[in-house]
Amino acid sequence: MVTFQQKILHVVKCFRRQWPLFSNSERTTVCGADCMLMTLQLSMAEVNKQYHGDFTVSLSDVLETWDYLLHDKLELYENMKEPENYADVKKAYHAFLARSNMLDLIDIYQKCYSLGLLAEDESISPVQLLEFISGVMNAQESNGSVLSTPTQIKRQDQEHMKVTILAKKSVCSYLSLLVNSKDDLALAHILNIPDRGLGREAFTNLKHASQERKMSIFLMATSFIRTIELGGRDSASSLYDPLRAHVKGLSNFVNFFDKLQEIVGEILNTR
Protein backbone atom coordinates (compact mmCIF):
# COMPACT_ATOMS: atom_id res chain seq x y z
CA MET A 1 0.00 0.00 0.00
CA VAL A 2 1.33 3.42 -1.01
CA THR A 3 1.55 5.84 1.94
CA PHE A 4 0.60 9.50 1.61
CA GLN A 5 4.21 10.60 2.09
CA GLN A 6 5.20 8.32 -0.80
CA LYS A 7 2.47 9.87 -2.95
CA ILE A 8 3.81 13.38 -2.28
CA LEU A 9 7.34 12.20 -3.04
CA HIS A 10 6.12 10.65 -6.29
CA VAL A 11 4.55 13.98 -7.34
CA VAL A 12 7.90 15.73 -6.81
CA LYS A 13 9.79 12.98 -8.67
CA CYS A 14 7.27 13.22 -11.49
CA PHE A 15 8.03 16.95 -11.74
CA ARG A 16 11.77 16.26 -11.77
CA ARG A 17 11.49 13.69 -14.58
CA GLN A 18 9.08 15.74 -16.69
CA TRP A 19 10.37 19.23 -15.85
CA PRO A 20 10.04 20.63 -19.44
CA LEU A 21 6.26 20.20 -19.08
CA PHE A 22 6.28 22.41 -15.99
CA SER A 23 9.00 24.99 -16.50
CA ASN A 24 11.50 26.39 -19.00
CA SER A 25 14.37 25.76 -16.58
CA GLU A 26 15.77 22.50 -15.26
CA ARG A 27 16.87 24.42 -12.17
CA THR A 28 13.32 25.26 -11.06
CA THR A 29 12.87 24.15 -7.45
CA VAL A 30 9.87 23.03 -5.42
CA CYS A 31 8.34 25.39 -2.88
CA GLY A 32 6.95 23.26 -0.03
CA ALA A 33 4.58 24.24 2.78
CA ASP A 34 7.08 26.24 4.89
CA CYS A 35 8.41 28.01 1.83
CA MET A 36 4.86 28.78 0.61
CA LEU A 37 3.92 30.32 3.96
CA MET A 38 7.08 32.46 4.06
CA THR A 39 6.49 33.59 0.47
CA LEU A 40 2.93 34.58 1.36
CA GLN A 41 4.12 36.53 4.41
CA LEU A 42 6.67 38.48 2.34
CA SER A 43 4.06 39.11 -0.37
CA MET A 44 1.57 40.43 2.17
CA ALA A 45 4.24 42.71 3.65
CA GLU A 46 5.03 44.07 0.17
CA VAL A 47 1.34 44.78 -0.52
CA ASN A 48 0.93 46.33 2.92
CA LYS A 49 3.85 48.64 2.21
CA GLN A 50 2.18 49.75 -1.05
CA TYR A 51 -1.08 50.60 0.70
CA HIS A 52 0.08 51.70 4.16
CA GLY A 53 3.84 52.35 3.81
CA ASP A 54 4.76 49.72 6.39
CA PHE A 55 6.62 46.50 5.47
CA THR A 56 4.97 44.46 8.24
CA VAL A 57 2.02 42.12 8.62
CA SER A 58 0.36 40.56 11.65
CA LEU A 59 0.54 36.81 12.24
CA SER A 60 -3.26 36.54 12.48
CA ASP A 61 -3.65 38.18 9.05
CA VAL A 62 -1.02 35.84 7.57
CA LEU A 63 -2.74 32.73 8.91
CA GLU A 64 -6.16 33.92 7.75
CA THR A 65 -4.87 34.65 4.23
CA TRP A 66 -2.88 31.38 4.23
CA ASP A 67 -6.05 29.38 4.87
CA TYR A 68 -7.92 31.29 2.15
CA LEU A 69 -5.07 30.95 -0.37
CA LEU A 70 -4.89 27.16 0.06
CA HIS A 71 -8.64 26.76 -0.39
CA ASP A 72 -8.59 29.10 -3.39
CA LYS A 73 -5.69 27.39 -5.19
CA LEU A 74 -7.16 23.93 -4.55
CA GLU A 75 -10.61 25.14 -5.65
CA LEU A 76 -12.16 24.05 -2.36
CA TYR A 77 -14.74 26.78 -2.26
CA GLU A 78 -16.31 27.36 1.14
CA ASN A 79 -18.19 30.23 2.72
CA MET A 80 -15.01 32.15 3.52
CA LYS A 81 -14.52 35.90 3.61
CA GLU A 82 -11.91 37.14 1.15
CA PRO A 83 -9.00 38.83 2.97
CA GLU A 84 -8.21 42.49 2.36
CA ASN A 85 -6.30 43.16 -0.89
CA TYR A 86 -6.28 39.42 -1.61
CA ALA A 87 -6.02 39.83 -5.41
CA ASP A 88 -2.87 41.94 -5.01
CA VAL A 89 -1.42 39.52 -2.46
CA LYS A 90 -2.04 36.52 -4.71
CA LYS A 91 -0.45 38.34 -7.65
CA ALA A 92 2.58 39.26 -5.53
CA TYR A 93 2.82 35.66 -4.27
CA HIS A 94 3.02 34.18 -7.77
CA ALA A 95 5.34 36.96 -8.95
CA PHE A 96 7.73 36.13 -6.08
CA LEU A 97 7.72 32.44 -7.03
CA ALA A 98 8.37 33.33 -10.68
CA ARG A 99 11.30 35.63 -9.76
CA SER A 100 12.72 32.91 -7.53
CA ASN A 101 12.35 30.24 -10.24
CA MET A 102 10.11 28.13 -8.02
CA LEU A 103 6.79 26.29 -8.29
CA ASP A 104 4.71 25.57 -5.23
CA LEU A 105 3.51 22.09 -4.35
CA ILE A 106 -0.10 22.82 -5.35
CA ASP A 107 0.87 24.01 -8.85
CA ILE A 108 3.01 20.89 -9.37
CA TYR A 109 0.25 18.57 -8.13
CA GLN A 110 -2.39 20.19 -10.35
CA LYS A 111 -0.13 20.03 -13.42
CA CYS A 112 0.68 16.35 -12.79
CA TYR A 113 -3.02 15.61 -12.40
CA SER A 114 -4.09 17.53 -15.53
CA LEU A 115 -1.43 15.79 -17.64
CA GLY A 116 -2.47 12.35 -16.37
CA LEU A 117 1.00 11.63 -14.98
CA LEU A 118 -0.30 10.02 -11.77
CA ALA A 119 -1.50 6.45 -11.53
CA GLU A 120 -4.79 5.75 -9.76
CA ASP A 121 -3.11 4.47 -6.59
CA GLU A 122 -0.84 7.55 -6.57
CA SER A 123 -3.61 10.13 -6.84
CA ILE A 124 -4.15 12.72 -4.10
CA SER A 125 -7.44 14.47 -3.40
CA PRO A 126 -7.44 18.27 -2.97
CA VAL A 127 -8.68 17.82 0.62
CA GLN A 128 -5.77 15.49 1.41
CA LEU A 129 -3.27 17.95 -0.04
CA LEU A 130 -4.88 20.78 1.93
CA GLU A 131 -4.52 18.78 5.16
CA PHE A 132 -0.92 17.89 4.34
CA ILE A 133 0.18 21.45 3.54
CA SER A 134 -1.71 23.01 6.45
CA GLY A 135 -0.22 20.46 8.85
CA VAL A 136 -3.49 18.76 9.85
CA MET A 137 -2.40 15.37 8.52
CA ASN A 138 1.01 15.57 10.21
CA ALA A 139 -0.67 16.48 13.49
CA GLN A 140 -3.04 13.53 13.21
CA GLU A 141 -0.14 11.18 12.55
CA SER A 142 1.75 12.58 15.55
CA ASN A 143 -1.27 12.17 17.83
CA GLY A 144 -1.51 8.54 16.84
CA SER A 145 2.15 7.93 17.53
CA VAL A 146 3.45 6.24 20.66
CA LEU A 147 6.06 8.99 20.90
CA SER A 148 3.54 11.80 21.04
CA THR A 149 3.04 11.91 24.83
CA PRO A 150 5.14 14.56 26.61
CA THR A 151 6.29 12.15 29.32
CA GLN A 152 7.93 9.92 26.74
CA ILE A 153 9.94 12.68 25.05
CA LYS A 154 12.81 14.00 27.12
CA ARG A 155 13.63 17.68 26.88
CA GLN A 156 17.13 16.78 25.69
CA ASP A 157 15.67 14.68 22.90
CA GLN A 158 13.41 17.56 21.86
CA GLU A 159 16.36 19.94 21.68
CA HIS A 160 18.35 17.37 19.69
CA MET A 161 15.42 17.03 17.29
CA LYS A 162 15.27 20.81 16.81
CA VAL A 163 19.00 20.99 16.05
CA THR A 164 18.71 18.06 13.63
CA ILE A 165 15.82 19.73 11.79
CA LEU A 166 17.69 23.05 11.62
CA ALA A 167 20.81 21.29 10.29
CA LYS A 168 18.82 19.46 7.62
CA LYS A 169 17.05 22.66 6.62
CA SER A 170 20.38 24.48 6.32
CA VAL A 171 21.93 21.73 4.17
CA CYS A 172 18.83 21.61 1.96
CA SER A 173 18.91 25.40 1.59
CA TYR A 174 22.55 25.31 0.45
CA LEU A 175 21.71 22.55 -2.03
CA SER A 176 18.67 24.45 -3.26
CA LEU A 177 20.72 27.61 -3.84
CA LEU A 178 23.37 25.56 -5.69
CA VAL A 179 20.66 24.31 -8.04
CA ASN A 180 18.64 27.52 -8.24
CA SER A 181 20.58 30.75 -7.59
CA LYS A 182 17.30 32.73 -7.73
CA ASP A 183 15.96 31.04 -4.61
CA ASP A 184 15.94 34.08 -2.32
CA LEU A 185 14.25 32.17 0.52
CA ALA A 186 17.05 29.60 0.63
CA LEU A 187 19.61 32.41 0.66
CA ALA A 188 17.76 34.18 3.48
CA HIS A 189 18.04 31.04 5.60
CA ILE A 190 21.76 30.36 5.08
CA LEU A 191 23.22 33.85 4.58
CA ASN A 192 24.32 33.89 8.22
CA ILE A 193 24.79 30.13 8.78
CA PRO A 194 27.44 29.76 10.05
CA ASP A 195 27.63 33.17 11.72
CA ARG A 196 29.12 35.76 9.32
CA GLY A 197 27.79 38.87 11.02
CA LEU A 198 25.10 39.14 8.34
CA GLY A 199 21.88 39.81 10.22
CA ARG A 200 18.54 41.32 9.23
CA GLU A 201 20.09 44.66 8.25
CA ALA A 202 22.48 43.01 5.79
CA PHE A 203 19.71 40.95 4.22
CA THR A 204 17.41 43.99 3.96
CA ASN A 205 20.13 46.06 2.30
CA LEU A 206 20.85 43.22 -0.13
CA LYS A 207 17.16 42.85 -0.92
CA HIS A 208 16.70 46.56 -1.63
CA ALA A 209 19.81 46.67 -3.84
CA SER A 210 18.68 43.57 -5.75
CA GLN A 211 15.26 45.11 -6.37
CA GLU A 212 16.85 48.29 -7.74
CA ARG A 213 19.06 46.24 -10.04
CA LYS A 214 16.26 43.77 -10.90
CA MET A 215 18.36 40.72 -10.07
CA SER A 216 18.31 37.91 -7.52
CA ILE A 217 19.75 38.56 -4.06
CA PHE A 218 22.47 35.97 -4.64
CA LEU A 219 23.54 37.62 -7.90
CA MET A 220 23.49 40.99 -6.13
CA ALA A 221 25.84 39.68 -3.41
CA THR A 222 28.27 38.08 -5.88
CA SER A 223 28.20 41.12 -8.17
CA PHE A 224 29.04 43.42 -5.25
CA ILE A 225 31.92 41.25 -4.01
CA ARG A 226 33.33 40.77 -7.53
CA THR A 227 33.31 44.55 -8.00
CA ILE A 228 35.14 45.02 -4.71
CA GLU A 229 37.69 42.30 -5.53
CA LEU A 230 38.42 43.63 -9.01
CA GLY A 231 38.65 47.32 -8.23
CA GLY A 232 38.90 47.73 -4.50
CA ARG A 233 36.44 49.05 -1.96
CA ASP A 234 36.26 52.53 -3.53
CA SER A 235 35.21 51.17 -6.92
CA ALA A 236 31.67 50.30 -5.78
CA SER A 237 29.09 52.82 -6.95
CA SER A 238 26.74 54.72 -4.65
CA LEU A 239 24.15 51.97 -5.18
CA TYR A 240 26.37 49.69 -3.12
CA ASP A 241 26.83 52.17 -0.24
CA PRO A 242 24.57 50.33 2.26
CA LEU A 243 26.44 47.09 1.51
CA ARG A 244 29.93 48.40 2.28
CA ALA A 245 29.45 47.75 5.98
CA HIS A 246 28.95 44.05 5.19
CA VAL A 247 31.95 43.46 2.90
CA LYS A 248 33.67 40.96 5.20
CA GLY A 249 30.59 38.81 5.80
CA LEU A 250 29.44 38.88 2.18
CA SER A 251 32.94 38.05 0.96
CA ASN A 252 33.00 35.08 3.33
CA PHE A 253 29.63 33.89 2.02
CA VAL A 254 30.48 34.31 -1.69
CA ASN A 255 33.91 32.63 -1.37
CA PHE A 256 32.42 29.74 0.60
CA PHE A 257 29.80 29.29 -2.10
CA ASP A 258 32.48 29.37 -4.78
CA LYS A 259 34.13 26.40 -3.05
CA LEU A 260 30.82 24.52 -2.96
CA GLN A 261 30.34 25.11 -6.69
CA GLU A 262 33.88 23.82 -7.34
CA ILE A 263 33.04 20.63 -5.43
CA VAL A 264 29.84 20.17 -7.42
CA GLY A 265 31.76 20.81 -10.63
CA GLU A 266 34.06 17.88 -9.86
CA ILE A 267 31.15 15.44 -9.61
CA LEU A 268 30.48 13.58 -12.85
CA ASN A 269 26.74 13.18 -12.31
CA THR A 270 25.62 16.35 -10.56
CA ARG A 271 22.02 15.14 -10.38
Side-chain angles (χ1 to χ4, degrees), residues 242-256:
L243 301 181
R244 293 189 183 191
H246 313 296
V247 170
K248 183 178 179 181
L250 289 174
S251 179
N252 180 295
F253 174 75
V254 171
N255 291 329
F256 178 74

Side-chain angles (χ1 to χ4, degrees), residues 66 77 95 149 221 233 241 250 253 268:
W66 171 241
Y77 300 109
T149 55
R233 188 182 294 263
D241 282 350
L250 289 174
F253 174 75
L268 293 177

Side-chain angles (χ1 to χ4, degrees), residues 96-116:
F96 186 97
L97 290 179
R99 287 197 307 271
S100 301
N101 193 25
M102 293 191 291
L103 290 172
D104 72 27
L105 196 54
I106 294 178
D107 291 333
I108 291 173
Y109 152 76
Q110 290 175 332
K111 188 72 172 181
C112 283
Y113 185 81
S114 66
L115 293 173

Side-chain angles (χ1 to χ4, degrees), residues 192-198 252:
N192 202 38
I193 297 178
D195 185 11
R196 302 182 176 95
L198 299 174
N252 180 295

Side-chain angles (χ1 to χ4, degrees), residues 145-164:
S145 170
V146 178
L147 297 176
S148 62
T149 55
T151 55
Q152 290 174 311
I153 302 178
K154 296 179 181 179
R155 185 178 184 86
Q156 186 176 1
D157 292 337
Q158 289 179 326
E159 292 301 318
H160 176 72
M161 190 179 299
K162 288 179 182 178
V163 172
T164 301

Side-chain angles (χ1 to χ4, degrees), residues 227-245:
T227 302
I228 294 294
E229 291 175 343
L230 290 173
R233 188 182 294 263
D234 295 333
S235 66
S237 68
S238 59
L239 176 64
Y240 293 131
D241 282 350
L243 301 181
R244 293 189 183 191

